[in-house]
Amino acid sequence: MKIEKEKLLWMYRTMVQIRVFEERIGSEFAAGKIPGFVHLSSGQEANAVGVCANLRIDDYITSNHRGHGHLIAKGLPLDTMTAEIFGKKTGVNKGKAGSQHLTDMAVGCLGAEGIQGTPVPVAVGAALSAKLRGSDQVAVAFIGDGTLNTGRFHEGLNLAAAWKLPFICYCENNTWAESTNIYDVTALTDISQRAMGYGIPGVAVDGNDVFAVYEAVHEAVARAKKGEGPTFIEGRTCRRHGHFEGDGHLYRSQEDKDECLKKDPIPRFRKKLIEMGTMTEAEADQIEREVKEEMEKAVKFAEESPFPEPEEVYTDEFA
Amino acid sequence: MEVSEITYLQAIHDAIDEELARDDKVFVFGEDIRQWGAPLGEMKGLFKKYGPNRVLDTPISETAMIGAAIGSAATGLRPVVQIMFAEFLSVCWSDIFNAMCKPRYMSGGKIMFPVTILSYCGAGISAAGEHSGCLDGMEMSIPGLKIVAPSTPYDAKGLIKSAIREDNPVQVFYHKKLILGGLKGEVPEKEYTIPLGKADVKRRGSDVTVVATMLMAHRALAAAEKLKARGIDIEVIDPRSLAPLDKETIFKSLEKTGKLVIMVEEPKAGSSASEIAAVVAEEAFDLLKAPIKRVCAPDTAIPFTPALEKVWMPDEDNLIKAVTEIM
Ligand SMILES: Cc1ncc(C[n+]2csc(CCOP(=O)(O)OP(=O)(O)O)c2C)c(N)n1
Ligand SMILES: [Mg+2]
């Protein structure tokens, strides 16, 4: 599939942005500068980027606890995101959301949800709205493998299928839900077969190959826009970090962790783009430098921003 | 009496461990129990000790978990089901509210469900809006459900053991901040239980009765010292069980003080404080010499940033203000 150069470069830059962002957030968290919990998506960048490269800014996504990458790929700036995760007044959600609930309708993100399963029916609602309003927008729910076993996954998929909605359920199968391996609590091994139960296409792709993700989602978006209904896509990927920062993931074998490091989607994409002549080594390095600088500025912005005033507790409860 | 000092976390662990050992009908299940011993570690080692027929990992399927608890309880077992963060209870609300708490009554006593549900509650660790709440008041509105909310290792151990032995559904809340803060306290070496529905007077005082649960009980005790310096002597009562509620202990205290402040970590509307206030206003109005005060959180979601979460949570200053207003 032909993807124009400009888009390929955006995809590369965005994957690097996510990695740099996540690793920096991880080190800021370790340094005690971030309150609460953070769940990082390092290693899963090809999923967020391969999906969002097919979306317009007015298309919709819902996200989960491991959502930083989805939001960056959907267009949220690094500085207000970082400020949010630091709990600052200048954060995209004024410090009220934190890492786990980043929300911004300006980039079509209905919200990152901490209650597993919820992203599915909420995105189905956005897809319904697009259909009822006669718009050609699509909606994507980003979920993890663990979420497949919530009731809401089932209800959401069936509803979207029955109503032939412009909806895509994208499942990042990193095989772990916290400390639990998905195959220890799920009898079906080919997860994409779940789609059969809803009478919709189910596709499994290499979630560490951004081209494979892009192509599968491209087809799903085309199908959605033609009024043919939803698609379920399983991106087979892996988690480089613990479930949350501070989780030593001792429950994983060293082999599993090493394998994951080897499957890094970023050097793989970089190599391909250089082979294809889309960019040179020097240009790739330049992108990495620029992104690191951008993140440096974002952290500085977050650090220098004030915390919200106490009165802010009482604002925003109602529209 | 021989006592040892253990943490709140250890107390929860020991209660479950001892009940698993005592009664082979007891079994526990939930998410991330095998490897993590549950996310905050209160079941560490239990999988190894009791094996896969007594300690089970589940998928992320809270509705199925509550359903499975009901079905296994009806057929002779005593399930202990861990529904992680209190907010997740709302995922399986119908199964708790309808399927678990109504049939005993609706069947005219033909069925019983000895189920124990364990959940983390409470703010103070910047876990943000969906992992920080206390749902005590909401659950108090469910007929057929008993609720315990311990504030000390002693109470946690004794109440959880009673909850597991109880023939009715019991919700146990334990506070994340008391777990993560490493709260310690003395417990007897010898086996003991604490009956459900018995309050504990955590501090004797004569001027104002303060009813407070979990983390708020600790804040009330800290405020008591500051108030003492101002010549105000508060009595701190921890109900320990919210359902059934030990009204007698509260009324008895009011006979002495005539003044009531209730401090809980929930938005005010529909909170456990609201129910307790209503009970006192209705049944013990004559004992009151001042209006009842509720020290609660604002009626908003819980903000993430510590700068706001701190303001959101009721604190010693809020309590001191409420107490001095009615002095
Ligand atoms: C209803 C509900 N139950 C349990 C949890 C606790 N929890 C948070 S993340 C998680 C695992 C999610 O696994 P998965 O969907 O595979 O996403 P991943 O962490 O792998 O990205 C669990 C069980 C939750 N947030 N919501
Ligand atoms: Mg997963």
Short mmCIF file of all heavy atoms in Angstrom, two decimals, chain B residues 43-95:
data_model
loop_
_atom_site.label_atom_id
_atom_site.label_comp_id
_atom_site.label_asym_id
_atom_site.label_seq_id
_atom_site.Cartn_x
_atom_site.Cartn_y
_atom_site.Cartn_z
N MET B 43 -3.10 -10.59 49.78
CA MET B 43 -3.26 -12.06 49.69
C MET B 43 -1.97 -12.73 49.27
O MET B 43 -1.98 -13.85 48.76
CB MET B 43 -4.38 -12.39 48.71
CG MET B 43 -5.71 -11.82 49.15
SD MET B 43 -7.03 -12.37 48.12
CE MET B 43 -8.27 -11.15 48.52
N LYS B 44 -0.88 -12.06 49.51
CA LYS B 44 0.43 -12.59 49.12
C LYS B 44 0.66 -13.97 49.75
O LYS B 44 0.42 -14.16 50.92
CB LYS B 44 1.53 -11.63 49.57
CG LYS B 44 2.55 -11.45 48.47
CD LYS B 44 3.54 -10.36 48.70
CE LYS B 44 3.70 -9.63 47.38
NZ LYS B 44 3.93 -8.22 47.53
N GLY B 45 1.10 -14.91 48.92
CA GLY B 45 1.44 -16.24 49.44
C GLY B 45 0.27 -17.19 49.53
O GLY B 45 0.45 -18.38 49.73
N LEU B 46 -0.95 -16.69 49.42
CA LEU B 46 -2.11 -17.58 49.63
C LEU B 46 -2.27 -18.60 48.51
O LEU B 46 -2.67 -19.74 48.75
CB LEU B 46 -3.39 -16.76 49.81
CG LEU B 46 -3.44 -15.84 51.04
CD1 LEU B 46 -4.80 -15.16 51.14
CD2 LEU B 46 -3.13 -16.61 52.32
N PHE B 47 -1.93 -18.20 47.28
CA PHE B 47 -2.05 -19.15 46.17
C PHE B 47 -1.10 -20.32 46.40
O PHE B 47 -1.45 -21.48 46.25
CB PHE B 47 -1.75 -18.47 44.83
CG PHE B 47 -1.76 -19.41 43.67
CD1 PHE B 47 -2.96 -19.85 43.12
CD2 PHE B 47 -0.57 -19.90 43.13
CE1 PHE B 47 -2.98 -20.75 42.06
CE2 PHE B 47 -0.58 -20.80 42.07
CZ PHE B 47 -1.79 -21.23 41.54
N LYS B 48 0.10 -19.98 46.80
CA LYS B 48 1.11 -21.00 47.03
C LYS B 48 0.67 -21.95 48.16
O LYS B 48 0.84 -23.15 48.09
CB LYS B 48 2.42 -20.33 47.40
CG LYS B 48 3.59 -20.99 46.74
CD LYS B 48 4.83 -20.16 46.90
CE LYS B 48 6.03 -21.01 46.52
NZ LYS B 48 7.26 -20.31 46.82
N LYS B 49 0.09 -21.33 49.19
CA LYS B 49 -0.27 -22.11 50.36
C LYS B 49 -1.50 -22.99 50.13
O LYS B 49 -1.54 -24.12 50.60
CB LYS B 49 -0.52 -21.14 51.52
CG LYS B 49 -0.79 -21.79 52.85
CD LYS B 49 -0.61 -20.78 53.98
CE LYS B 49 -1.04 -21.37 55.31
NZ LYS B 49 -1.03 -20.37 56.37
N TYR B 50 -2.49 -22.48 49.41
CA TYR B 50 -3.76 -23.20 49.31
C TYR B 50 -4.05 -23.80 47.94
O TYR B 50 -4.98 -24.59 47.80
CB TYR B 50 -4.92 -22.30 49.75
CG TYR B 50 -4.82 -21.91 51.20
CD1 TYR B 50 -4.29 -20.68 51.56
CD2 TYR B 50 -5.22 -22.79 52.20
CE1 TYR B 50 -4.17 -20.32 52.90
CE2 TYR B 50 -5.10 -22.45 53.54
CZ TYR B 50 -4.58 -21.21 53.88
OH TYR B 50 -4.46 -20.88 55.19
N GLY B 51 -3.30 -23.37 46.93
CA GLY B 51 -3.46 -23.98 45.61
C GLY B 51 -4.63 -23.45 44.81
O GLY B 51 -5.45 -22.66 45.31
N PRO B 52 -4.72 -23.92 43.56
CA PRO B 52 -5.65 -23.33 42.59
C PRO B 52 -7.14 -23.65 42.81
O PRO B 52 -7.98 -23.08 42.13
CB PRO B 52 -5.17 -23.91 41.25
CG PRO B 52 -4.46 -25.16 41.60
CD PRO B 52 -3.86 -24.94 42.96
N ASN B 53 -7.44 -24.54 43.75
CA ASN B 53 -8.87 -24.77 44.02
C ASN B 53 -9.40 -23.87 45.13
O ASN B 53 -10.60 -23.81 45.35
CB ASN B 53 -9.12 -26.23 44.40
CG ASN B 53 -9.13 -27.12 43.17
OD1 ASN B 53 -9.34 -26.62 42.05
ND2 ASN B 53 -8.87 -28.39 43.36
N ARG B 54 -8.50 -23.20 45.82
CA ARG B 54 -8.94 -22.33 46.92
C ARG B 54 -8.66 -20.87 46.62
O ARG B 54 -9.25 -19.97 47.24
CB ARG B 54 -8.21 -22.70 48.23
CG ARG B 54 -8.29 -24.17 48.64
CD ARG B 54 -9.65 -24.58 49.15
NE ARG B 54 -10.14 -23.79 50.26
CZ ARG B 54 -9.71 -23.84 51.51
NH1 ARG B 54 -8.74 -24.68 51.84
NH2 ARG B 54 -10.25 -23.08 52.44
N VAL B 55 -7.72 -20.62 45.73
CA VAL B 55 -7.31 -19.24 45.40
C VAL B 55 -7.25 -19.13 43.88
O VAL B 55 -6.41 -19.75 43.24
CB VAL B 55 -5.92 -18.93 46.03
CG1 VAL B 55 -5.49 -17.52 45.68
CG2 VAL B 55 -5.96 -19.13 47.55
N LEU B 56 -8.16 -18.37 43.31
CA LEU B 56 -8.31 -18.36 41.85
C LEU B 56 -8.15 -16.96 41.27
O LEU B 56 -8.67 -15.99 41.81
CB LEU B 56 -9.71 -18.87 41.46
CG LEU B 56 -10.02 -20.35 41.61
CD1 LEU B 56 -10.29 -20.72 43.07
CD2 LEU B 56 -11.25 -20.70 40.80
N ASP B 57 -7.46 -16.92 40.12
CA ASP B 57 -7.36 -15.69 39.35
C ASP B 57 -8.53 -15.61 38.38
O ASP B 57 -8.86 -16.60 37.74
CB ASP B 57 -6.08 -15.72 38.50
CG ASP B 57 -4.98 -14.88 39.11
OD1 ASP B 57 -5.23 -14.22 40.13
OD2 ASP B 57 -3.87 -14.90 38.56
N THR B 58 -9.09 -14.45 38.24
CA THR B 58 -10.20 -14.29 37.29
C THR B 58 -9.79 -13.37 36.14
O THR B 58 -8.86 -12.58 36.29
CB THR B 58 -11.42 -13.63 37.95
OG1 THR B 58 -11.07 -12.29 38.31
CG2 THR B 58 -11.88 -14.38 39.18
N PRO B 59 -10.50 -13.45 35.03
CA PRO B 59 -10.36 -12.39 34.03
C PRO B 59 -11.02 -11.10 34.55
O PRO B 59 -11.59 -11.10 35.66
CB PRO B 59 -11.11 -12.95 32.82
CG PRO B 59 -11.98 -14.04 33.33
CD PRO B 59 -11.42 -14.51 34.62
N ILE B 60 -10.93 -10.03 33.78
CA ILE B 60 -11.55 -8.76 34.18
C ILE B 60 -13.04 -8.87 33.87
O ILE B 60 -13.51 -8.46 32.82
CB ILE B 60 -10.92 -7.56 33.43
CG1 ILE B 60 -9.39 -7.60 33.57
CG2 ILE B 60 -11.47 -6.24 33.98
CD1 ILE B 60 -8.68 -6.54 32.73
N SER B 61 -13.76 -9.49 34.77
CA SER B 61 -15.17 -9.84 34.53
C SER B 61 -15.95 -9.71 35.83
O SER B 61 -16.41 -10.71 36.40
CB SER B 61 -15.27 -11.28 34.00
OG SER B 61 -14.48 -11.47 32.86
N GLU B 62 -16.09 -8.48 36.31
CA GLU B 62 -16.69 -8.29 37.63
C GLU B 62 -18.11 -8.81 37.74
O GLU B 62 -18.51 -9.33 38.78
CB GLU B 62 -16.64 -6.80 38.04
CG GLU B 62 -15.26 -6.31 38.46
CD GLU B 62 -14.32 -5.99 37.30
OE1 GLU B 62 -14.78 -6.03 36.14
OE2 GLU B 62 -13.14 -5.71 37.54
N THR B 63 -18.89 -8.68 36.67
CA THR B 63 -20.27 -9.17 36.76
C THR B 63 -20.26 -10.70 36.90
O THR B 63 -21.01 -11.27 37.70
CB THR B 63 -21.11 -8.74 35.55
OG1 THR B 63 -20.35 -8.93 34.37
CG2 THR B 63 -21.50 -7.29 35.63
N ALA B 64 -19.40 -11.35 36.14
CA ALA B 64 -19.31 -12.81 36.26
C ALA B 64 -18.77 -13.21 37.63
O ALA B 64 -19.17 -14.24 38.18
CB ALA B 64 -18.41 -13.37 35.15
N MET B 65 -17.89 -12.40 38.18
CA MET B 65 -17.33 -12.73 39.49
C MET B 65 -18.40 -12.69 40.57
O MET B 65 -18.49 -13.60 41.42
CB MET B 65 -16.19 -11.77 39.82
CG MET B 65 -14.93 -12.04 38.99
SD MET B 65 -13.90 -10.57 38.75
CE MET B 65 -13.27 -10.31 40.39
N ILE B 66 -19.23 -11.65 40.56
CA ILE B 66 -20.29 -11.57 41.58
C ILE B 66 -21.31 -12.69 41.35
O ILE B 66 -21.74 -13.36 42.30
CB ILE B 66 -20.97 -10.18 41.57
CG1 ILE B 66 -19.98 -9.10 42.03
CG2 ILE B 66 -22.21 -10.18 42.47
CD1 ILE B 66 -19.50 -9.23 43.48
N GLY B 67 -21.64 -12.93 40.10
CA GLY B 67 -22.56 -14.03 39.80
C GLY B 67 -22.01 -15.36 40.30
O GLY B 67 -22.73 -16.15 40.93
N ALA B 68 -20.72 -15.58 40.07
CA ALA B 68 -20.10 -16.84 40.50
C ALA B 68 -20.06 -16.93 42.03
O ALA B 68 -20.20 -18.02 42.59
CB ALA B 68 -18.69 -16.95 39.92
N ALA B 69 -19.91 -15.80 42.68
CA ALA B 69 -19.94 -15.80 44.15
C ALA B 69 -21.33 -16.20 44.63
O ALA B 69 -21.47 -17.03 45.54
CB ALA B 69 -19.56 -14.42 44.68
N ILE B 70 -22.34 -15.65 44.01
CA ILE B 70 -23.72 -15.95 44.41
C ILE B 70 -24.01 -17.44 44.22
O ILE B 70 -24.48 -18.13 45.12
CB ILE B 70 -24.72 -15.10 43.60
CG1 ILE B 70 -24.54 -13.61 43.91
CG2 ILE B 70 -26.15 -15.54 43.86
CD1 ILE B 70 -25.26 -12.68 42.93
N GLY B 71 -23.68 -17.94 43.03
CA GLY B 71 -23.98 -19.33 42.71
C GLY B 71 -23.23 -20.31 43.59
O GLY B 71 -23.78 -21.32 44.03
N SER B 72 -21.98 -19.99 43.88
CA SER B 72 -21.21 -20.93 44.71
C SER B 72 -21.63 -20.82 46.17
O SER B 72 -21.62 -21.82 46.90
CB SER B 72 -19.71 -20.70 44.53
OG SER B 72 -19.35 -19.38 44.82
N ALA B 73 -22.05 -19.63 46.58
CA ALA B 73 -22.50 -19.46 47.96
C ALA B 73 -23.81 -20.20 48.20
O ALA B 73 -24.03 -20.79 49.25
CB ALA B 73 -22.65 -17.98 48.28
N ALA B 74 -24.68 -20.17 47.19
CA ALA B 74 -25.98 -20.82 47.33
C ALA B 74 -25.84 -22.33 47.42
O ALA B 74 -26.72 -23.02 47.92
CB ALA B 74 -26.88 -20.46 46.15
N THR B 75 -24.72 -22.85 46.95
CA THR B 75 -24.55 -24.30 46.84
C THR B 75 -23.49 -24.84 47.80
O THR B 75 -22.84 -25.83 47.52
CB THR B 75 -24.20 -24.67 45.38
OG1 THR B 75 -23.10 -23.84 44.96
CG2 THR B 75 -25.37 -24.42 44.45
N GLY B 76 -23.31 -24.12 48.88
CA GLY B 76 -22.53 -24.70 49.97
C GLY B 76 -21.14 -24.14 50.22
O GLY B 76 -20.49 -24.53 51.18
N LEU B 77 -20.66 -23.25 49.38
CA LEU B 77 -19.32 -22.69 49.63
C LEU B 77 -19.42 -21.30 50.27
O LEU B 77 -20.50 -20.75 50.40
CB LEU B 77 -18.52 -22.64 48.33
CG LEU B 77 -18.28 -24.00 47.66
CD1 LEU B 77 -17.42 -23.84 46.40
CD2 LEU B 77 -17.63 -25.00 48.61
N ARG B 78 -18.25 -20.78 50.67
CA ARG B 78 -18.18 -19.45 51.27
C ARG B 78 -17.19 -18.61 50.49
O ARG B 78 -16.04 -18.45 50.88
CB ARG B 78 -17.75 -19.54 52.74
CG ARG B 78 -18.77 -20.24 53.58
CD ARG B 78 -18.49 -20.12 55.07
NE ARG B 78 -19.73 -20.41 55.76
CZ ARG B 78 -20.62 -19.48 56.12
NH1 ARG B 78 -20.38 -18.22 55.92
NH2 ARG B 78 -21.73 -19.84 56.71
N PRO B 79 -17.64 -18.07 49.35
CA PRO B 79 -16.72 -17.32 48.50
C PRO B 79 -16.32 -15.97 49.09
O PRO B 79 -17.14 -15.28 49.69
CB PRO B 79 -17.51 -17.11 47.21
CG PRO B 79 -18.94 -17.22 47.62
CD PRO B 79 -18.99 -18.19 48.76
N VAL B 80 -15.05 -15.65 48.90
CA VAL B 80 -14.54 -14.32 49.22
C VAL B 80 -14.08 -13.76 47.89
O VAL B 80 -13.18 -14.32 47.26
CB VAL B 80 -13.35 -14.41 50.19
CG1 VAL B 80 -12.77 -13.02 50.45
CG2 VAL B 80 -13.77 -15.08 51.50
N VAL B 81 -14.74 -12.71 47.43
CA VAL B 81 -14.42 -12.20 46.09
C VAL B 81 -13.82 -10.82 46.20
O VAL B 81 -14.33 -9.95 46.90
CB VAL B 81 -15.67 -12.26 45.16
CG1 VAL B 81 -16.88 -11.59 45.77
CG2 VAL B 81 -15.37 -11.65 43.79
N GLN B 82 -12.70 -10.64 45.54
CA GLN B 82 -12.00 -9.36 45.61
C GLN B 82 -12.38 -8.52 44.41
O GLN B 82 -12.03 -8.85 43.27
CB GLN B 82 -10.48 -9.59 45.66
CG GLN B 82 -9.73 -8.54 46.45
CD GLN B 82 -9.03 -7.51 45.60
OE1 GLN B 82 -9.25 -7.44 44.41
NE2 GLN B 82 -8.18 -6.71 46.21
N ILE B 83 -13.13 -7.45 44.64
CA ILE B 83 -13.46 -6.51 43.57
C ILE B 83 -12.60 -5.26 43.78
O ILE B 83 -13.08 -4.20 44.15
CB ILE B 83 -14.97 -6.16 43.56
CG1 ILE B 83 -15.84 -7.42 43.43
CG2 ILE B 83 -15.30 -5.16 42.45
CD1 ILE B 83 -15.95 -8.01 42.05
N MET B 84 -11.35 -5.41 43.67
CA MET B 84 -10.32 -4.37 43.66
C MET B 84 -10.73 -2.97 44.16
O MET B 84 -10.91 -2.78 45.35
CB MET B 84 -9.79 -4.30 42.24
CG MET B 84 -8.28 -4.26 42.19
SD MET B 84 -7.69 -4.02 40.53
CE MET B 84 -7.51 -5.68 39.95
N PHE B 85 -10.88 -2.03 43.27
CA PHE B 85 -11.19 -0.66 43.68
C PHE B 85 -12.71 -0.50 43.84
O PHE B 85 -13.47 -1.02 43.01
CB PHE B 85 -10.66 0.35 42.66
CG PHE B 85 -9.15 0.43 42.65
CD1 PHE B 85 -8.40 -0.41 41.85
CD2 PHE B 85 -8.49 1.34 43.46
CE1 PHE B 85 -7.01 -0.35 41.86
CE2 PHE B 85 -7.10 1.41 43.48
CZ PHE B 85 -6.36 0.56 42.68
N ALA B 86 -13.10 0.24 44.86
CA ALA B 86 -14.53 0.35 45.19
C ALA B 86 -15.38 0.75 43.98
O ALA B 86 -16.48 0.23 43.80
CB ALA B 86 -14.73 1.34 46.33
N GLU B 87 -14.83 1.63 43.15
CA GLU B 87 -15.60 2.07 41.98
C GLU B 87 -15.99 0.90 41.07
O GLU B 87 -16.99 0.98 40.36
CB GLU B 87 -14.82 3.09 41.15
CG GLU B 87 -14.81 4.49 41.71
CD GLU B 87 -13.65 4.73 42.65
OE1 GLU B 87 -13.03 3.75 43.13
OE2 GLU B 87 -13.34 5.92 42.90
N PHE B 88 -15.19 -0.14 41.07
CA PHE B 88 -15.48 -1.27 40.18
C PHE B 88 -16.75 -2.00 40.62
O PHE B 88 -17.33 -2.77 39.86
CB PHE B 88 -14.32 -2.26 40.08
CG PHE B 88 -12.99 -1.65 39.68
CD1 PHE B 88 -11.83 -2.40 39.75
CD2 PHE B 88 -12.90 -0.35 39.23
CE1 PHE B 88 -10.61 -1.86 39.39
CE2 PHE B 88 -11.68 0.21 38.86
CZ PHE B 88 -10.53 -0.54 38.94
N LEU B 89 -17.18 -1.76 41.86
CA LEU B 89 -18.43 -2.35 42.33
C LEU B 89 -19.59 -1.87 41.48
O LEU B 89 -20.58 -2.58 41.30
CB LEU B 89 -18.68 -1.97 43.79
CG LEU B 89 -17.71 -2.56 44.81
CD1 LEU B 89 -17.81 -1.80 46.12
CD2 LEU B 89 -17.99 -4.04 45.02
N SER B 90 -19.43 -0.66 40.95
CA SER B 90 -20.53 -0.12 40.15
C SER B 90 -20.65 -0.85 38.82
O SER B 90 -21.68 -0.81 38.17
CB SER B 90 -20.35 1.38 39.93
OG SER B 90 -19.14 1.64 39.25
N VAL B 91 -19.59 -1.54 38.42
CA VAL B 91 -19.64 -2.35 37.20
C VAL B 91 -20.61 -3.52 37.39
O VAL B 91 -21.29 -3.93 36.46
CB VAL B 91 -18.22 -2.89 36.88
CG1 VAL B 91 -18.28 -3.98 35.82
CG2 VAL B 91 -17.30 -1.76 36.45
N CYS B 92 -20.67 -4.05 38.61
CA CYS B 92 -21.51 -5.24 38.85
C CYS B 92 -22.62 -4.90 39.84
O CYS B 92 -23.04 -5.74 40.63
CB CYS B 92 -20.65 -6.39 39.38
SG CYS B 92 -19.41 -5.90 40.59
N TRP B 93 -23.06 -3.67 39.78
CA TRP B 93 -24.05 -3.17 40.74
C TRP B 93 -25.33 -3.99 40.72
O TRP B 93 -25.87 -4.35 41.77
CB TRP B 93 -24.34 -1.70 40.43
CG TRP B 93 -24.88 -0.94 41.59
CD1 TRP B 93 -26.12 -0.42 41.72
CD2 TRP B 93 -24.16 -0.58 42.79
NE1 TRP B 93 -26.23 0.22 42.93
CE2 TRP B 93 -25.05 0.14 43.60
CE3 TRP B 93 -22.86 -0.81 43.24
CZ2 TRP B 93 -24.68 0.65 44.84
CZ3 TRP B 93 -22.50 -0.32 44.47
CH2 TRP B 93 -23.41 0.40 45.25
N SER B 94 -25.84 -4.30 39.55
CA SER B 94 -27.10 -5.05 39.49
C SER B 94 -26.95 -6.40 40.15
O SER B 94 -27.84 -6.87 40.86
CB SER B 94 -27.56 -5.25 38.04
OG SER B 94 -28.66 -6.13 38.02
N ASP B 95 -25.79 -7.00 39.92
CA ASP B 95 -25.57 -8.35 40.47
C ASP B 95 -25.49 -8.31 41.99
O ASP B 95 -25.90 -9.24 42.67
CB ASP B 95 -24.30 -8.92 39.84
CG ASP B 95 -24.37 -8.78 38.33
OD1 ASP B 95 -24.11 -7.65 37.81
OD2 ASP B 95 -24.76 -9.73 37.66
#
